[in-house]
Amino acid sequence: MADRGASALSLPDDWPAHPDAILALNRMGTFDWDLDTGLMQMDAQAHEIFDVRPDEYDDHPETLSQRVPPGEARRLDTAVTQALKDGSENYGAYFRIRCRDGSMRWTHTQGYIRRDDTGRPRRIIGIVRDATRELAESEARSDQAAQDEARRRQTSVVELTTAALAHARTVQDVIDVLKDTHGLTHLGATSLVMGLVKAGRIRLVAEGPSDSFVPGTRITRIDEPYPMSEAVRTLAPCFIESPEEFAERYPILWPHITGLNITSAAYLPLIVQARPIGAMGLLYSDRRGFTPEERNILVALGSSIAQSLQRAMFYEQEMDLAQGLQQAMLPRTIPSVPGADIAVRYRAATIGGSVGRDIGGDWYDLIPLPGGRVGAVIGDVQGHDTHAAAVMGQLRIVLRAYAAEGHTPATVMARASVFLHELDTDRSATCLYAEADLSTGVLQMVRAGHIDPLVRRTDGSCRRVTVPGGLPLGLSAEFGRLEYPVGTVELDPGETLLLCTDGLVEQPGADLDDGMRTLTALVETGPDDVRDLADRLIDVAAERGGDDDVALLLLRRRGPEGPQSGRLLQRHVAPGDPAALADARHMIRTAAGVWGARDRADEIELVADELITNALMHTEGSAIVTLRALTGAEHRLRVEVEDSSSALPRRREAGESGVSGRGLLLVELLTDVWGVEARGGGKAVWCEFVVPDPD
């Protein structure tokens, strides 16, 4: 063997000059394989690695078959043959040898192929080494890497679940996150059940797989023999590692769930501040048992879920309180308005696409006013919280009070702004107030930073009504700009007024004008009935979602059904102006004759003169005289005299001279009906006369 080794071809150029010592130190042996003769020489270290003595090896590779099992030999031959065929310069392979004592040992070989000028392989020079320690270390590193990966995966489960739960605001949101396919995949479970503790009982809120509900478990006592009850009762997780264990520990429950193919389960108590708020069960169908690391990670996961559930429960309690407050602040009922069809709607804001609802400051109101008029209000207090709802309630009451007193729309808005400014709040509010005389169809509107109203015509077309506006309520008082210009619009019978807050108009990525055009198109294509139209608009808002609430008021003027104003005349009579008083008398007598009341013209003129005179004598201001022709079941003429005094007229006994004290007596005797209405800081005394049909 030594002679053949001495006459062998030279080693590769990049090998060390004296490799023997280096190879020995690294437990490596060498071989020189002559492919023409088939002989393969090995040094002493190679003999040691193959666990053969020199006299047991005759330079023929076949001699090593006693040490290289057939399967390993075939794998090694395949590697060498492939390298020889494809022109490779070297090859390497791990294989096992059977030692003299029968044990198996990993070995590695690296061969360098020498070829002649034609490319034919002639010789392989290589090394063999004991790879047992290397592979053991590699296996240990692989095991450690696998453990690290499992730990990272388990940590990732908590991180992913916690991140998903961060967006959950309601209890249902939490359940949806956990029951979502990805959520269960992260948890490694097949399905999930969950119950919440209330009044000493566990109420099931997540039932697990579809069609898997077990009768009698919707609400259970904490002392009942169920795994969820045990977790709540003991405040400790309950791990079930096999179907057999499940059947043994919970014989009442197991027969009902055998069809779910459950192989193991983990029931975790949901604990917050040392108090159980519920329990969660993870059901598995592809595993048995839990490692200590898996148990720890599930316990940590249960703690995170419990915190999310507690936040969700607090949020729902707050929302219930806030929404109850807001509903209490909104009108409970809308009064029936003769001559109009009314529809009102309110929708709370949707949170993040969930079913949760947010509180807001949007409101509507409908206010009956003197003289058959009606006030329509729509508004939006800044903010989405209980404070906004509280401010909204106060502002609604104040607006209603000012309007009912008979103040003009501009005065109502200005006083409401002063009230809000003086209130202990930093909130402002937008508002639109429309005062409608349904007998004439005249609308007087004022706008405080609010969006314009819409009017749908009888042919279905819809237009935006531009109303001159002032600053939002609160701000106009703060900056001393309390002027609110009044816009006048005439609403014909069959036409509909639409008032809404910006939650119905604003859309992500679109400006206000685009939103108004979209709303106009929806109204044009919507149902004719105002209630159906209101439902349709709110449904569209619900489909779109959004983080703002919506208030909506629709008022449709009906055709004549009762007394309606066909014509109207008005005069202003100043004190100390006899010419104006004479003009008013002439106007009344002439109109009475033209409007079919010639037979009662004297009575009408006398009563009107008495009311005007009283207003001029007993107040410090002027009088406004209004004459209306009312049509309906019977025709009437209505006389109104408005003054600036809030003092009501009183019946007095006539004096000795008989000159005064007969005013109200004349009114009662000559009119068919009369009364007094508050008008802002003053009043209006009115009376009506039944007259023949002019036709």
Side-chain angles (χ1 to χ4, degrees):
M1 289 177 61
D3 293 340
R4 285 193 293 271
S7 62
L9 294 173
S10 61
L11 295 171
D13 296 336
D14 55 352
W15 276 40
H18 302 285
D20 295 347
I22 298 174
L23 295 173
L25 287 173
N26 287 280
R27 294 177 56 82
M28 295 182 183
T30 64
F31 66 87
D32 186 346
W33 189 359
D34 188 336
L35 299 179
D36 292 331
T37 63
L39 299 178
M40 182 174 71
Q41 299 179 25
M42 298 192 305
D43 63 10
Q45 188 65 35
H47 289 157
E48 182 178 339
I49 290 171
F50 277 100
D51 198 14
V52 294
R53 294 189 296 270
D55 60 343
E56 293 177 334
Y57 180 64
D58 59 1
D59 294 346
H60 290 85
E62 294 82 2
T63 310
L64 297 176
S65 61
Q66 60 179 325
R67 293 288 178 259
V68 182
E72 300 294 311
R74 285 193 298 272
R75 189 157 55 82
L76 185 58
D77 287 343
T78 299
V80 174
T81 302
Q82 182 65 33
L84 295 174
K85 286 183 178 181
D86 61 19
S88 300
E89 293 185 353
N90 53 65
Y91 66 87
Y94 286 94
F95 62 97
R96 289 181 298 175
I97 63 172
R98 182 177 288 107
C99 297
R100 193 179 303 276
D101 60 4
S103 63
M104 302 296 289
R105 181 167 65 196
W106 278 103
T107 305
H108 180 261
T109 180
Q110 185 78 30
Y112 185 85
I113 303 172
R114 305 303 299 268
R115 302 176 187 270
D116 59 20
D117 295 339
T118 65
R120 178 183 175 187
R122 305 297 300 275
R123 181 182 176 194
I124 299 177
I125 300 172
I127 60 172
V128 291
R129 60 185 176 84
D130 185 349
T132 302
R133 179 181 299 175
E134 173 192 342
L135 291 184
E137 293 175 352
S138 175
E139 184 176 357
R141 286 194 299 271
S142 298
D143 292 343
Q144 184 62 43
Q147 293 176 8
D148 292 343
E149 177 61 26
R151 193 172 294 110
R152 282 193 298 270
R153 187 168 58 252
Q154 293 167 352
T155 303
S156 177
V157 168
V158 176
E159 292 176 348
L160 289 171
T161 305
T162 302
L165 290 172
H167 302 285
R169 302 184 71 174
T170 67
V171 171
Q172 190 58 49
D173 288 343
V174 174
I175 295 171
D176 290 342
V177 167
L178 297 175
K179 290 186 69 174
D180 177 80
T181 303
H182 297 294
L184 289 175
T185 300
H186 294 155
L187 298 173
T190 303
S191 59
L192 171 143
V193 293
M194 182 183 292
L196 297 180
V197 175
K198 185 175 182 180
R201 296 178 180 269
I202 301 175
R203 178 174 58 90
L204 203 62
V205 294
E207 301 176 1
S210 58
D211 302 326
S212 64
F213 173 68
V214 178
T217 61
R218 180 79 66 188
I219 298 177
T220 57
R221 298 190 311 275
I222 295 177
D223 60 353
E224 292 193 63
Y226 294 118
M228 192 174 293
S229 301
E230 180 179 328
V232 171
R233 186 172 60 253
T234 63
L235 301 183
C238 175
F239 293 100
I240 305 170
E241 302 196 339
S242 68
E244 294 77 16
E245 182 183 358
F246 209 135
E248 180 181 355
R249 293 176 60 180
Y250 306 103
I252 296 177
L253 179 61
W254 178 249
H256 297 282
I257 60 175
T258 52
L260 301 180
N261 298 319
I262 296 173
T263 58
S264 60
Y267 287 86
L268 310 172
L270 302 175
I271 304 172
V272 176
Q273 298 178 344
R275 181 178 64 87
I277 63 172
M280 177 183 71
L282 297 173
L283 309 179
Y284 301 86
S285 60
D286 57 355
R287 61 174 299 162
R288 288 182 176 230
F290 301 90
T291 66
E293 292 80 7
E294 289 170 339
R295 293 183 179 225
N296 290 337
I297 207 72
L298 287 174
V299 170
L301 190 62
S303 177
S304 176
I305 293 171
Q307 297 295 330
S308 297
L309 273 173
Q310 180 78 338
R311 288 194 303 269
M313 292 165 70
F314 282 153
Y315 174 80
E316 289 186 349
Q317 291 172 4
E318 180 183 353
M319 285 301 98
D320 287 344
L321 175 63
Q323 289 179 6
L325 171 63
Q326 185 169 43
Q327 291 299 324
M329 294 300 182
L330 288 171
R332 287 195 174 187
T333 59
I334 290 297
S336 176
V337 178
D341 296 321
I342 306 294
V344 293
R345 297 291 185 272
Y346 174 81
R347 178 184 176 275
T350 300
I351 304 170
S354 73
V355 297
R357 296 298 177 90
D358 204 359
I359 192 69
D362 290 15
W363 89 94
Y364 57 79
D365 204 357
L366 199 69
I367 309 167
L369 299 175
R373 295 167 294 123
V374 63
V377 184
I378 201 81
D380 183 0
V381 174
Q382 175 190 8
H384 293 85
D385 50 26
T386 53
H387 186 54
V391 171
M392 174 270 287
Q394 296 176 78
L395 195 55
R396 185 183 75 83
I397 294 170
V398 163
L399 272 162
R400 171 176 279 268
Y402 289 148
E405 286 179 354
H407 295 291
T408 64
T411 302
V412 169
M413 200 69 85
R415 291 194 174 190
S417 182
V418 172
F419 169 83
L420 183 57
H421 177 60
E422 294 176 350
L423 202 62
D424 185 18
T425 179
D426 58 353
R427 306 298 174 91
S428 62
T430 66
C431 184
L432 190 148
Y433 174 58
E435 183 179 292
D437 186 338
L438 295 172
S439 63
T440 63
V442 174
L443 301 176
Q444 291 185 309
M445 294 185 285
V446 289
R447 186 171 63 87
H450 204 77
I451 58 176
D452 288 323
L454 300 179
V455 170
R456 185 169 73 172
R457 302 181 181 92
T458 54
D459 62 0
S461 62
C462 185
R463 65 185 177 93
R464 178 178 178 177
V465 179
T466 302
V467 178
L471 292 176
L473 302 181
L475 296 181
S476 62
E478 181 177 351
F479 294 109
R481 297 170 57 183
L482 290 171
E483 299 80 13
Y484 287 100
V486 179
T488 302
V489 176
E490 189 167 335
L491 196 67
D492 292 333
E495 291 188 334
T496 301
L497 174 69
L498 183 148
L499 308 179
C500 67
T501 54
D502 54 9
L504 189 61
V505 175
E506 292 179 345
Q507 302 178 45
D511 60 24
L512 182 62
D513 289 336
D514 290 338
M516 290 295 287
R517 282 189 286 269
T518 300
L519 178 59
T520 299
L522 285 171
V523 174
E524 289 179 338
T525 58
D528 293 334
D529 184 83
V530 290
R531 288 165 288 275
D532 294 340
L533 177 59
D535 290 338
R536 172 60 181 149
L537 295 178
I538 288 296
D539 288 345
V540 170
E543 293 168 4
R544 188 172 63 224
D547 56 359
D548 201 1
D549 48 345
V550 176
L552 172 66
L553 186 150
L554 296 174
L555 183 151
R556 178 180 177 272
R557 185 188 174 202
R558 293 199 296 260
E561 293 179 359
Q564 302 291 326
S565 177
R567 286 154 287 190
L568 181 147
L569 295 173
Q570 196 170 70
R571 284 290 186 273
H572 181 275
V573 181
D577 187 356
L581 181 57
D583 287 343
R585 290 169 177 164
H586 178 72
M587 175 194 75
I588 293 169
R589 174 170 287 277
T590 302
V594 174
W595 293 351
R598 190 177 304 275
D599 293 342
R600 302 194 68 176
D602 291 338
E603 299 173 8
I604 296 171
E605 182 182 355
L606 179 59
V607 169
D609 187 66
E610 181 66 29
L611 295 179
I612 297 169
T613 302
N614 283 341
L616 296 176
M617 288 181 59
H618 301 296
T619 67
E620 297 179 355
S622 58
I624 299 174
V625 185
T626 304
L627 185 66
R628 303 173 188 266
L630 304 179
T631 60
E634 57 183 5
H635 294 265
R636 293 171 177 258
L637 256 64
R638 180 183 176 99
V639 179
E640 297 177 2
V641 177
E642 184 175 350
D643 59 50
S644 59
S645 173
S646 60
L648 298 178
R650 293 182 296 109
R651 185 194 302 257
R652 296 181 298 161
E653 296 296 331
E656 294 181 0
S657 63
V659 175
S660 62
R662 303 181 184 275
L664 290 184
L665 180 60
L666 283 174
V667 172
E668 286 186 350
L669 290 174
L670 298 179
T671 64
D672 293 293
V673 62
W674 74 282
V676 183
E677 295 175 354
R679 294 286 176 88
K683 65 179 180 299
V685 182
W686 59 270
C687 56
E688 293 180 0
F689 300 84
V690 177
V691 298
D693 187 344
D695 298 333

